[in-house]
Amino acid sequence: MGIPRVVSEDKREQLARYCMGQNAAKTANELVAFVVTPHKWKGRAEMNAATIRGAFEGREDATSKRALKYYEKLIPFVYNNDRFGIFGFGRKILSHVLGFNKPMVREVSKADVRVCLHKSSSLAAMTFMTAMRAEGYDTCPMEGFDSKRAKALLGLHKDAEITMIVSCGKRADDGIYSERHRVANDEVIISH
């Protein structure tokens, strides 16, 4: 994942145009893009595996074996994709067959991995926005933008994808259109 921070006035104005001229983008002190970088999976997997190996050095218990297996075997197996998604199709079949006998992760195709990356990026954005609020700043997540132009402006790798662009700063008095509203809890929370 990457997080380009746009602070220069000219780039911020350009990116605001690519955000379809949304007020939140036009009036922001800064714009931050949350970006997934699937092409970096191998280096990140190796880094995570090395960290886990160090954390469990000298241990041979079930927890350490499971953690090492996850980072050294499962992650490379799921994230290694070809251009056409053939590996993912094979993994789908394998997970379906293995799932007859035990619980199994079913989201293993190239498209599934893409969704997973964007979910992780969204969680990072949510944490960032909460931290900004705790420091007295306001944010607004935006999904409506010209992704091709924004990627070019930010100089992103061809395989990178922008999850969202977040405006940051102190809110303007006229920046809030209405009071907050929420869907009723009983419509979205299902207790079992």
Side-chain angles (χ1 to χ4, degrees), residues 36-72:
V36 296
T37 52
H39 59 285
K40 294 184 177 182
W41 78 266
K42 197 171 195 171
R44 301 283 165 82
E46 289 168 358
M47 178 187 72
N48 287 334
T51 300
I52 294 300
R53 273 193 302 278
F56 288 109
E57 190 173 353
R59 286 180 55 181
E60 293 293 323
D61 57 75
T63 301
S64 65
K65 288 178 183 177
R66 189 170 46 252
L68 287 170
K69 185 177 179 182
Y70 178 82
Y71 285 103
E72 294 180 338

Side-chain angles (χ1 to χ4, degrees), residues 79-93:
Y79 279 77
N80 187 15
N81 279 296
D82 60 291
R83 171 184 251 170
F84 304 106
I86 296 168
F87 293 165
F89 182 70
R91 285 191 302 265
K92 274 283 200 198
I93 293 170

